[in-house]
Amino acid sequence: MAVTLEDSSVVVRFHRVTVRLSPEVLKVFDAHRQTGWFSREAGGQLFADIQGEVWHVVAATGPRSADRRGRFHFWPDRNAEQREIDEHFSAGLEYVGDWHTHPESVPTPSQNDIYSIMNVLRESTLYTSGLLLCIVGLAPFPEGVHVSFHA
Ligand SMILES: [Zn+2]
């Protein structure tokens, strides 16, 4: 996996797909970084305009009031998630994965993070070849974001 910063986008090249996180998406991540020891994990969903093997991630939804948040955990509101998926789908954008913050500089997914994205994969009817998991840490991009592809 190679991660670079190109034209203010974070570009990640996987074996099967190239993921571009747009400046708009990075702005959402930035706004929710877990900078204080007391701040809580935040997260949401990622939506992309898929052009062949290039996934342009152009929208990231933020935390909702019905989400339950703690410093080391994040439980999304599943009904709101399905509504977000439907809304973006009618605008031509595919649901391509989830993101959340971690209180560490260069973030890595926890065992539980991997378990939950695998669970989403199993329970979803997907139109994509897999799902992304983005973890947002404290370091500047691209070091401060971890992107993994799960299929
Ligand atoms: Zn996590």
Side-chain angles (χ1 to χ4, degrees), residues 41 72-74 100-102 104 108-110 112-113 133 135:
E41 282 199 0
F72 295 107
H73 51 246
F74 173 74
H100 66 267
T101 59
H102 271 190
E104 55 184 341
T108 51
S110 66
N112 204 45
D113 290 338
L133 173 62
I135 316 274

Side-chain angles (χ1 to χ4, degrees), residues 1-83:
M1 182 187 85
V3 186
T4 52
L5 200 60
E6 295 169 24
D7 305 324
S8 309
S9 296
V10 167
V11 180
V12 193
R13 291 184 171 81
F14 293 102
H15 181 61
R16 274 192 282 178
V17 298
T18 293
V19 174
R20 297 186 68 95
L21 302 174
S22 74
E24 291 73 24
V25 165
L26 297 178
K27 210 173 286 173
V28 173
F29 289 173
D30 230 0
H32 296 285
R33 284 186 202 254
Q34 236 175 312
T35 47
W37 68 269
F38 50 83
S39 57
R40 295 162 168 201
E41 282 199 0
Q45 302 190 107
L46 301 167
F47 295 92
D49 172 17
I50 296 181
Q51 301 292 336
E53 305 200 325
V54 183
W55 293 9
H56 295 267
V57 182
V58 293
T61 56
R64 293 160 298 257
S65 52
D67 294 333
R68 289 179 295 154
R69 300 161 75 187
R71 181 162 150 79
F72 295 107
H73 51 246
F74 173 74
W75 292 288
D77 173 352
R78 297 288 169 198
N79 293 326
E81 282 187 337
Q82 189 56 51
R83 276 199 304 277

Side-chain angles (χ1 to χ4, degrees), residues 71-136:
R71 181 162 150 79
F72 295 107
H73 51 246
F74 173 74
W75 292 288
D77 173 352
R78 297 288 169 198
N79 293 326
E81 282 187 337
Q82 189 56 51
R83 276 199 304 277
E84 287 176 359
I85 291 173
D86 297 342
E87 280 164 22
H88 285 84
F89 187 76
S90 53
L93 300 177
E94 299 281 357
Y95 164 66
V96 289
D98 295 333
W99 71 276
H100 66 267
T101 59
H102 271 190
E104 55 184 341
S105 179
V106 176
T108 51
S110 66
Q111 281 295 100
N112 204 45
D113 290 338
I114 302 290
Y115 175 81
S116 28
I117 194 81
M118 296 306 279
N119 222 23
V120 176
L121 260 179
R122 255 196 313 273
E123 292 174 359
S124 310
T125 310
L126 292 177
Y127 299 96
T128 60
S129 49
L131 286 179
L132 302 173
L133 173 62
C134 278
I135 316 274
V136 179

